[in-house]
Amino acid sequence: MFERCIGFAWCSTCRIYSGNMVHIPRKRVLVDALVSLPLEQRERLLRSETGLIEFLDLGGGA
């Protein structure tokens, strides 16, 4: 019925994030904020936690 995923909460004001395990219904489609990026840029962001958070914080994932 459910899949386990890691969920992140981010506060742009204090620049702190936290993560926890969340349960998502299997039928729910999750949005990939990096899907529109060229493969090279996507891979670079996925190798850098700081770069990924900065990208998403600047609205790159919106």
Side-chain angles (χ1 to χ4, degrees):
M1 285 180 65
F2 294 95
E3 294 289 335
R4 291 184 300 173
C5 297
I6 298 173
F8 289 101
W10 170 252
C11 176
S12 296
T13 304
C14 60
R15 302 191 56 78
I16 295 175
Y17 75 94
S18 63
N20 63 343
M21 188 67 66
V22 295
H23 292 89
I24 305 294
R26 287 188 178 172
K27 293 183 179 183
R28 181 168 180 182
V29 177
L30 300 177
V31 176
D32 183 350
L34 307 180
V35 74
S36 64
L37 298 177
L39 184 59
E40 184 179 302
Q41 183 181 6
R42 179 186 179 94
E43 289 177 348
R44 187 171 48 249
L45 286 172
L46 291 175
R47 287 191 304 265
S48 169
E49 181 179 10
T50 316
L52 178 60
I53 290 171
E54 183 176 299
F55 172 80
L56 295 171
D57 189 40
L58 294 175

